[in-house]
Amino acid sequence: MVSAGDPPNYARLLGIQKDQVVQEFGWDEDTDDDIRADIEDESGGELLDEDADEVVDVVLLWWRDGDGDLVDTLMDAITPLADDGVIWVVTPKTGQPGHVQPAEIAESAPTAGLMQTSSANLGDWIASRLVQPKSKAAGRR
């Protein structure tokens, strides 16, 4: 049972499970180490960096206003993603430096061949869950 005083478990909010492989894109000095630590604890492994070349279950994409072209970055993030994998686009909340308009994610996802399904509140960050449409993922096998 979680009491009101317990800090949130960010990995559980993101649906991260034991033995899932998580790759991180867009790490910078402003990323939240509590979120990263929760994910490593829950998955039981370290976050892979952008250069890793293995199949991953989850991509954690830190994204801020001014980081470049989101569609291009999403296309890069899809490459190592398992057919049933998930991309979490993690952006600063409204009023925080680097805040990204939700419309940017909503417009970029379908262009990259992804669907936005939900979001999660991660303290000063908000995460948008993107998945590949089932018909497209089935065709990649």
Side-chain angles (χ1 to χ4, degrees), residues 17-127:
Q17 299 173 0
K18 183 85 176 141
D19 296 326
Q20 282 189 316
V21 179
V22 182
Q23 185 173 18
E24 181 178 44
F25 282 73
W27 179 90
D28 205 339
E29 294 187 13
D30 65 342
T31 55
D32 189 319
D33 287 334
D34 290 338
I35 297 170
R36 299 174 80 245
D38 278 357
I39 291 170
E40 288 181 341
D41 288 347
E42 199 70 26
S43 68
E46 292 186 10
L47 297 174
L48 302 178
D49 66 21
E50 294 179 29
D51 298 327
D53 60 358
E54 48 194 285
V55 175
V56 300
D57 302 299
V58 179
V59 169
L60 182 70
L61 171 57
W62 301 96
W63 191 258
R64 303 146 203 88
D65 185 43
D67 276 356
D69 187 322
L70 182 55
V71 173
D72 286 347
T73 304
L74 288 172
M75 296 298 287
D76 290 342
I78 290 170
T79 302
L81 198 61
D83 289 343
D84 60 349
V86 174
I87 297 175
W88 283 101
V89 180
V90 186
T91 61
K93 281 191 173 172
T94 303
Q96 298 291 330
H99 170 70
V100 174
Q101 294 296 328
E104 181 178 346
I105 298 167
E107 292 167 8
S108 297
T111 305
L114 298 164
M115 295 185 328
Q116 186 171 353
T117 61
S118 63
S119 62
N121 181 346
L122 307 176
D124 288 338
W125 299 81
I126 188 86

Side-chain angles (χ1 to χ4, degrees), residues 1-9:
M1 176 149 172
V2 176
S3 72
D6 288 341
N9 183 313

